[in-house]
Amino acid sequence: MQFSASQIAPIISGVIEGDPAVLVSNFGKIESAQPGDLAFLANPKYESFAYTTKASILLVASDFTPKQPVSSTLIRVDDPYAALAQLMQLVEQQSAPRLQGISEKAEIAADVELGEEVYIAPFTVIEAGAKIARGCQIHPFAYIGRGVMLGEETIIYPHVTLYHGVQIGARCIIHAGAVLGADGFGFAPEAEGYRKIPQLGGVVVEDDVEIGANTCIDRAVMDSTIIRRGVKLDNLIQIAHNCQVGEHTVMASQVGLAGSSSIGSWCRFGGQVGIGGHITIGDKVEMGGQTGVIGNVPEGATLMGSPGMPLREAMRNFVIQPKLPDMYRRLQALEKELAALKEQLA
């Protein structure tokens, strides 16, 4: 498929600067794009490539002021990265085949409710009482447990496991190997070992959530572990029992939430962030990679370090830490000199 700049600009509310008839048929990175590619400039670190790129069309911010001539046709938009995502989604929708049909090799209980235009791949298992809404896609080797509910247009990729009673909203994407509804980590210590605490609650995932590969979301002891609408979870994330994740929060790989932690809306967590149990995180909190949190965090905070601390304080600590061995040696030398002076004065 080919698109001209004049076709693309109205879709993303862009303003063309250059040849409106120039055609593109592919996406490319700004540093390696070729003629016929559409590239974008969102990070100022890559501005130098704007003057050397061979891309036919370059998405740039509305206020971008070139310091050198640019050979590409520019389309100015408010947010180049968001505009690129919008265009890529459009291309995906037009080029991806619409999967439909129910394989004879799928194991589906007699009382399962199946909506219209669903796709059930070979070797899937759907247990009794499950409800699969219109337009859902369930790929090979997925397991849909007893009483599971899937909202419209939700996609379940291969080897996903949904334990009994899990509820998934509309337009969700659950990537390969994810496990939702496994028992939370609950054991009561006794003299002879640990007694398992039954996990009798559920997992609720609201609309427009994406869950990465091999991510685990445990069922609650009581009530439900809840993932609110618009949340985006990367691969290899652990959400423990009775946690709540607020609307439109995003988490990078290997984030771990201990039990009964509550995360606000519009938060952003870098990789390997760890949240202690029974902790409340306010809305719009940002945490850098490997931040460790052991107490409640107010709305709007930005943290780094372990234990997590305000960003400026963390940066000062990072500067000082490499100097600590030398400072310790100097302190020891000063203590020896001080001790010698005391002996002389005694």
Side-chain angles (χ1 to χ4, degrees):
M1 294 183 291
Q2 286 190 324
F3 300 90
S4 66
S6 61
Q7 291 174 310
I8 293 170
I11 297 172
I12 54 177
S13 302
V15 177
I16 299 171
E17 189 173 304
D19 181 6
V22 65
L23 297 173
V24 292
S25 58
N26 196 15
F27 296 99
K29 297 189 294 185
I30 189 171
E31 63 267 35
S32 59
Q34 299 297 313
D37 290 349
L38 180 146
F40 76 107
L41 174 63
N43 189 328
K45 292 181 181 179
Y46 292 85
E47 181 179 337
S48 62
F49 293 109
Y51 312 120
T52 60
T53 187
K54 297 179 182 178
S56 296
I57 295 177
L58 185 62
L59 302 182
V60 297
S62 300
D63 59 357
F64 172 64
T65 303
K67 300 180 179 65
Q68 302 176 33
V70 178
S71 61
S72 305
T73 290
L74 302 183
I75 299 182
R76 296 181 177 274
V77 293
D78 290 338
D79 185 338
Y81 195 55
L84 177 73
Q86 184 179 352
L87 291 174
M88 295 182 79
Q89 286 176 348
L90 178 63
V91 170
E92 182 184 41
Q93 291 168 4
Q94 293 189 3
S95 60
R98 176 71 186 184
L99 299 173
Q100 291 186 35
I102 301 171
S103 172
E104 295 179 354
K105 296 181 180 179
E107 294 288 337
I108 304 174
D111 64 346
V112 170
E113 296 183 20
L114 296 176
E116 298 178 352
E117 301 178 350
V118 298
Y119 169 66
I120 311 295
F123 311 115
T124 61
V125 175
I126 306 179
E127 300 281 17
K131 297 180 180 180
I132 314 300
R134 181 187 63 81
C136 286
Q137 298 181 30
I138 303 177
H139 289 262
F141 299 103
Y143 173 80
I144 311 299
R146 186 180 71 256
V148 167
M149 299 176 63
L150 300 184
E152 293 186 355
E153 304 290 339
T154 283
I155 300 173
I156 306 296
Y157 279 110
H159 296 284
V160 167
T161 298
L162 305 180
Y163 280 60
H164 62 276
V166 169
Q167 299 179 41
I168 310 292
R171 300 174 301 280
C172 293
I173 301 173
I174 316 295
H175 286 281
V179 178
L180 278 64
D183 282 356
F185 192 64
F187 298 90
E190 297 182 344
E192 297 181 356
Y194 294 88
R195 181 182 294 275
K196 182 177 177 64
I197 299 173
Q199 309 291 293
L200 304 179
V203 171
V204 175
V205 177
E206 295 184 347
D207 298 345
D208 301 302
V209 170
E210 184 158 351
I211 297 172
N214 295 320
T215 283
C216 296
I217 303 176
D218 293 345
R219 70 174 53 253
V221 180
M222 295 172 278
D223 298 323
S224 294
T225 302
I226 302 176
I227 311 299
R228 298 295 183 187
R229 67 185 182 93
V231 167
K232 311 300 180 188
L233 302 179
D234 198 358
N235 306 327
L236 298 168
I237 287 174
Q238 164 66 21
I239 308 292
H241 56 195
N242 289 96
C243 288
Q244 293 198 33
V245 180
E247 296 179 357
H248 303 294
T249 283
V250 296
M251 299 181 182
S253 182
Q254 299 182 23
V255 167
L257 307 185
S260 299
S261 56
S262 178
I263 312 302
S265 301
W266 294 99
C267 294
R268 298 195 296 179
F269 293 179
Q272 298 185 338
V273 165
I275 308 296
H278 303 273
I279 284 175
T280 298
I281 308 296
D283 296 340
K284 298 182 180 178
V285 170
E286 298 190 5
M287 297 188 190
Q290 297 189 329
T291 298
V293 180
I294 57 176
N296 295 341
V297 178
E299 178 179 346
T302 301
L303 304 184
M304 285 191 71
S306 186
M309 61 192 78
L311 179 60
R312 289 186 179 180
E313 183 179 343
M315 297 304 292
R316 287 196 295 268
N317 286 350
F318 295 155
V319 171
I320 292 171
Q321 284 174 6
K323 302 177 181 179
L324 289 177
D326 181 59
M327 292 170 65
Y328 178 67
R329 287 190 294 268
R330 291 165 61 191
L331 177 61
Q332 285 183 313
L334 288 172
E335 287 176 339
K336 289 180 180 179
E337 290 181 15
L338 181 60
L341 286 172
K342 286 182 178 179
E343 288 181 2
Q344 293 175 7
L345 296 172

